[in-house]
Amino acid sequence: MLKRRTMAYRWGIYAAGAVLLALVSGIYAFWLEGCADASKSGDMLFYLRRAGVSKKVWLLAVLLFVMFIMYEHYGTRLTEFLYTWRFAIAAGMFVLCVACELNGSSIGAWQAYLGGTDTGTLLGAARPIRSDEWAVSTPMMLSQYRNAGGAFPYYSDTVRGAVTDMFMVYGQPVKDIAMIFKPFYWGYLFLPAGMGLAFFWYGRWIALFLVSFEMCMLLTGGDKRLSAAGSFLVALAPVVQWWFAINGLVEMLVFGQLAVLLLRKYMTDTRTSVRMACVSVIAVCAGGFILILYPAWQIPMAYVILALGIWVIIENYRGFRISARDILCIVIVLAAFAGIMLHVWGNSKETVELVLNTAYPGKRMETGGGIGLEFFNYVSNIWYALLGEGTGANVCESAQFIDFFPLCYVIPLYALIQKRDKLIALLLCVDVFFVIWCVAGFPAVIAKATLMSFSTASRAFVLLGFVNILLLIRGLALAEYKCKAVIGGAAAVIAGYAVVSCASFINEDYYPRMSYYIFTVVLWIMLFYLLLRYHEAGNRKRFSMLCIAVMIFAGALVNPVRRGVDNIYETETIQAIEEVHGQDPEALWAVEGVGFPCINMGIMAGAPTVNSTNVYPNLDRWEILDQKGTNEKVYNRYAHISIVLKESGNPEFLLNQPDVFTVSLTGSSLKQLGVTYLMSGRESLREYESEKIKFIKIKNVGNYSIYRIE
């Protein structure tokens, strides 16, 4: 009887906990979705009411209750099952995400420009600040499906309304052997756009989580709990989530860590088939890493990979043997690698040269320096997903890895003194190198010699956070220390208060009320306390659980969870462009009177648009209007291009900002550029007509009109 009462009591606790957690999650989700501005109004009852009647919230409560009961009955066996079958479970999740067309794109933001209702967002909210994803990269991907000359060309006629290299800059899916180096783009080539986007988004996240977990298992010697915390620190890091689809940070982390893991496998496994597989995948990782073409992150990441690779070689070179068969395999793989890379260079050499000779971004020459209190800013990152752009701060540029500075140095240094660990020593060398670059900078000669001149202090600082996480995980696994509760508590209070105070000083927008500040201080006191007393009974489990909870709060809903791309193609605007374009597929388009992101509407329907985002300049086109090259510094750049009609006069070029310029021109000049169709934000263009040029309105949809130039 007593046993039944105890069980019923536990079940009651689990049910109450499940409902409470579900309600908290629901409040958080509705807050994210912008039901009201609670950061100012503080009306939490509004969110509580929404969560209380939400089917999603109650379904989550049931799922949590089932999970608690399963953990009660199976406990360790359940975690062992998840670990043993982790790859199969990950594969099942990946197939499910692709089948359901789930993705994290912010294309819901297009509704503000295209009209209609976004029915695709399931959880979270679109992030307008990620315009380089939803307004540039994703439209370019969609244009590859609808290119007039056939799907997925290496050279598209749609983007820029001219022959454009789609593989190299803002790399997109193309039908080419070089796609072997871009495995996360394979889904686009054989799946519909919605499924291809799901393949891209969740394939990368699942791969990043698994690879980060395996790397942490290597660093910790098999500590599953600490490795799980480490994988969450990487895969849900705010900087990873805010830059998830752009500039290849996810690919760098996946390819870099996977290459190190495979190098170790190659050195410890003598089977020829396994070794050949390792060499082949390492070659894919190397090619994928190189073709990201974002040196600001690539160069610092290369130093991290080098340090990890050297450690793997040092640890495993004794007893390592390589046979003639192994050498033959390496030669074959290297030959194939070189052949494909030469093929890419032959196709894209001109593109690379054009980019390097632009006014922006052009050739970068940096000397670093300027980073200061940003070392403390990681604590503010927990609020970025919740408050987002509402503060006016640029959350993307200030997003970081949550690395627990300064304990990410204290604990590894203590472990280094105790164990004389080679990996900690190597990572600390890289860390010091990055710190000097970020804080003080290098002389120009050293910057060039180390290739850091291609990076910036702010970008290298991001990878410094990644190194700090590796150091912390390694230090926790190796260090043996005891810290009294009083000393640990006092140190945690001082460190927590100091770190949060510094963070709020440089980023006060993320502490709109005292409650935010107090919550952050208390949270970091708890985390620092658990780190300082990590080796005490129960604290390992508590730290891992709290760390995972913080990362879910900070990163899980930075990007929305949405389904498909139908919100784009169900709008009248895109349907109208598709209809007109279908009748005259070779004709050039331009967008007038409205700027970015509207300039990229046409390419999503397959319409070749001269002023869609020019990822590299079309010098021949603009020289038609600027024969003397007077304005070359304006248009010789990566640019979002606004076209504005004027009644008369010569074309005028105006540089609005480094990646935006405006061209003011007449209808005659448009015709010189070969434009046949004009999409405008104006209802009438009669005042811009002349004896030679007429604007014939074909369609009027929403806030836009489509004209034919005759």
Side-chain angles (χ1 to χ4, degrees):
M1 187 71 176
L2 181 62
K3 186 176 181 181
R4 289 182 180 178
R5 287 181 179 177
T6 302
M7 183 62 69
Y9 175 75
R10 284 184 178 179
W11 280 40
I13 293 294
Y14 290 149
V19 171
L20 180 61
L21 281 173
L23 286 173
V24 171
S25 301
I27 291 170
Y28 179 63
F30 286 126
W31 194 343
L32 275 171
E33 291 169 9
C35 296
D37 189 358
S39 64
K40 295 180 180 178
S41 68
D43 186 12
M44 297 306 295
L45 288 177
F46 174 80
Y47 297 103
L48 181 60
R49 289 194 296 269
R50 287 292 300 269
V53 298
S54 170
K55 293 179 181 178
K56 294 179 185 177
V57 170
W58 287 104
L59 176 61
L60 177 62
V62 172
L63 290 174
L64 287 170
F65 179 68
V66 172
M67 289 170 62
F68 291 156
I69 297 303
M70 290 181 67
Y71 187 78
E72 170 71 24
H73 282 279
Y74 301 105
T76 304
R77 282 186 293 170
L78 179 61
T79 56
E80 284 298 322
F81 173 82
L82 293 174
Y83 173 74
T84 303
W85 295 96
R86 61 192 182 281
F87 295 113
I89 293 169
M93 290 177 59
F94 173 63
V95 171
L96 181 64
C97 290
V98 173
C100 295
E101 299 188 10
L102 301 180
N103 63 74
S105 173
S106 290
I107 54 175
W110 272 111
Q111 253 54 54
Y113 305 93
L114 297 176
T117 303
D118 178 20
T119 57
T121 301
L122 304 177
L123 192 64
R127 302 294 185 175
I129 196 172
R130 298 309 305 132
S131 58
D132 45 3
E133 180 270 313
W134 64 266
V136 181
S137 181
T138 301
M140 287 182 181
M141 176 275 292
L142 295 173
S143 78
Q144 286 290 84
Y145 278 90
R146 289 164 173 77
N147 187 69
F152 308 111
Y154 198 106
Y155 303 104
S156 168
D157 294 323
T158 304
V159 176
R160 304 192 311 160
V163 176
T164 301
D165 186 335
M166 297 301 291
F167 180 81
M168 187 57 70
V169 184
Y170 253 106
Q172 296 297 334
V174 303
K175 288 181 179 177
D176 191 89
I177 185 64
M179 286 303 291
I180 195 169
F181 295 134
K182 295 190 175 186
F184 300 115
Y185 290 78
W186 294 350
Y188 291 124
L189 302 180
F190 63 90
L191 295 170
M195 288 186 174
L197 196 59
F199 190 106
F200 174 76
W201 274 86
Y202 285 105
R204 292 157 78 246
W205 191 85
I206 291 170
L208 177 60
F209 185 87
L210 285 176
V211 170
S212 298
F213 178 78
E214 297 302 321
M215 177 57 70
C216 289
M217 287 288 285
L218 178 59
L219 298 183
T220 61
D223 187 329
K224 300 182 185 70
R225 183 178 289 124
L226 183 56
S227 297
S231 59
F232 273 91
L233 283 170
V234 175
L236 287 180
V239 67
V240 169
Q241 293 301 313
W242 283 105
W243 290 94
F244 195 79
I246 297 297
N247 292 345
L249 180 59
V250 173
E251 284 87 345
M252 290 181 212
L253 292 168
V254 171
F255 294 147
Q257 293 182 98
L258 182 57
V260 172
L261 292 169
L262 291 173
L263 174 62
R264 179 178 181 274
K265 184 67 174 176
Y266 182 89
M267 297 187 72
T268 56
D269 198 309
T270 58
R271 290 172 293 176
T272 301
S273 58
V274 173
R275 285 189 163 186
M276 187 167 184
C278 289
V279 171
S280 300
V281 179
I282 288 173
V284 171
C285 291
F289 187 89
I290 292 168
L291 291 173
I292 291 168
L293 290 183
Y294 192 70
W297 273 333
Q298 281 174 297
I299 301 302
M301 186 65 193
Y303 279 101
V304 182
I305 298 169
L306 180 62
L308 292 170
I310 291 173
W311 170 66
V312 166
I313 293 170
I314 291 173
E315 290 292 307
N316 299 282
Y317 79 94
R318 290 191 181 89
F320 173 68
R321 299 291 182 270
I322 187 166
S323 67
R325 187 179 297 177
D326 295 329
I327 294 173
L328 178 61
C329 290
I330 292 173
V331 170
I332 292 172
V333 171
L334 285 177
F337 176 84
I340 297 174
M341 294 302 286
L342 285 172
H343 164 74
V344 172
W345 178 247
N347 283 341
S348 298
K349 178 183 177 182
E350 184 179 348
T351 304
V352 174
E353 290 175 347
L354 277 169
V355 172
L356 290 177
N357 289 294
T358 55
Y360 174 86
K363 295 180 180 178
R364 190 189 296 272
M365 175 55 205
E366 297 283 342
T367 55
I371 299 296
L373 290 177
E374 286 83 0
F375 282 91
F376 302 96
N377 193 49
Y378 68 91
V379 298
S380 301
N381 276 227
I382 65 169
W383 299 112
Y384 284 14
L386 191 62
L387 302 182
E389 301 160 65
T391 63
N394 191 323
V395 289
C396 303
E397 293 299 330
S398 59
Q400 298 173 219
F401 284 98
I402 294 177
D403 61 4
F404 300 98
F405 176 84
L407 293 189
C408 60
Y409 293 123
V410 175
I411 294 172
L413 282 170
Y414 188 81
L416 179 64
I417 294 170
Q418 278 190 326
K419 306 289 186 179
R420 299 182 181 276
D421 181 61
K422 297 179 183 66
L423 177 58
I424 291 179
L426 285 165
L427 290 176
L428 280 174
C429 288
V430 175
D431 204 292
V432 171
F433 178 79
F434 285 170
V435 168
I436 295 172
W437 168 258
C438 293
V439 176
F442 293 166
V445 174
I446 297 178
K448 287 182 179 180
T450 58
L451 301 182
M452 291 298 288
S453 59
F454 290 102
S455 185
T456 65
S458 60
R459 292 294 184 256
F461 185 67
V462 167
L463 272 303
L464 174 63
F466 176 62
V467 177
N468 288 344
I469 289 175
L470 298 181
L471 278 170
L472 180 65
I473 296 298
R474 182 70 173 179
L476 288 172
L478 294 184
E480 297 175 3
Y481 59 88
K482 297 286 185 179
C483 181
K484 293 182 179 179
V486 175
I487 296 174
V493 169
I494 294 170
Y497 176 75
V499 169
V500 177
S501 296
C502 290
S504 64
F505 176 76
I506 64 172
N507 207 347
E508 62 181 358
D509 289 337
Y510 286 96
Y511 303 91
R513 291 204 306 267
M514 182 57 68
S515 57
Y516 288 71
Y517 178 81
I518 293 173
F519 176 86
T520 310
V521 171
V522 172
L523 175 63
W524 248 261
I525 288 174
M526 292 169 60
L527 286 165
F528 285 156
Y529 179 80
L530 292 173
L531 281 173
L532 290 168
R533 306 196 72 229
Y534 181 76
H535 295 282
E536 301 297 326
N539 283 349
R540 296 185 181 199
K541 180 178 180 180
R542 295 186 188 103
F543 172 75
S544 297
M545 293 180 67
L546 184 57
C547 180
I548 291 171
V550 168
M551 296 314 299
I552 291 173
F553 181 81
L557 286 181
V558 165
N559 296 298
V561 178
R562 60 169 298 109
R563 184 175 184 179
V565 295
D566 291 342
N567 70 302
I568 299 294
Y569 294 101
E570 289 175 352
T571 61
E572 291 184 6
T573 304
I574 296 298
Q575 289 174 359
I577 298 173
E578 285 183 318
E579 181 183 344
V580 176
H581 168 62
Q583 297 168 358
D584 194 358
E586 303 298 327
L588 284 182
W589 289 59
V591 178
E592 185 276 336
V594 289
F596 182 78
C598 298
I599 57 174
N600 290 326
M601 290 191 298
I603 63 174
M604 291 191 288
T609 308
V610 298
N611 65 318
S612 61
T613 297
N614 281 210
V615 292
Y616 59 93
N618 187 341
L619 298 178
D620 292 339
R621 169 174 288 144
W622 302 119
E623 285 170 0
I624 294 173
L625 306 180
D626 183 38
Q627 295 180 2
K628 294 182 179 180
T630 308
N631 298 286
E632 185 176 340
K633 286 187 177 181
V634 175
Y635 54 74
N636 184 19
R637 63 184 61 239
Y638 169 99
H640 310 299
I641 304 168
S642 297
I643 288 179
V644 178
L645 281 174
K646 64 178 184 176
E647 295 181 30
S648 61
N650 295 323
E652 296 177 311
F653 293 83
L654 174 65
L655 183 62
N656 306 97
Q657 57 190 62
D659 61 351
V660 179
F661 71 83
T662 300
V663 187
S664 301
L665 40 66
T666 62
S668 297
S669 295
L670 269 180
K671 204 62 181 174
Q672 279 184 277
L673 297 179
V675 175
T676 301
Y677 293 99
L678 189 67
M679 187 153 192
S680 176
R682 312 175 202 252
E683 290 191 7
S684 174
L685 297 178
R686 288 183 181 177
E687 61 186 294
Y688 304 107
E689 294 182 344
S690 65
E691 293 181 1
K692 296 181 179 180
I693 296 294
K694 301 295 181 185
F695 295 100
I696 310 301
K697 183 182 288 189
I698 299 175
K699 284 194 175 289
N700 193 23
V701 285
N703 297 322
Y704 312 101
S705 299
I706 300 176
Y707 298 89
R708 182 182 178 90
I709 305 175
E710 294 182 357

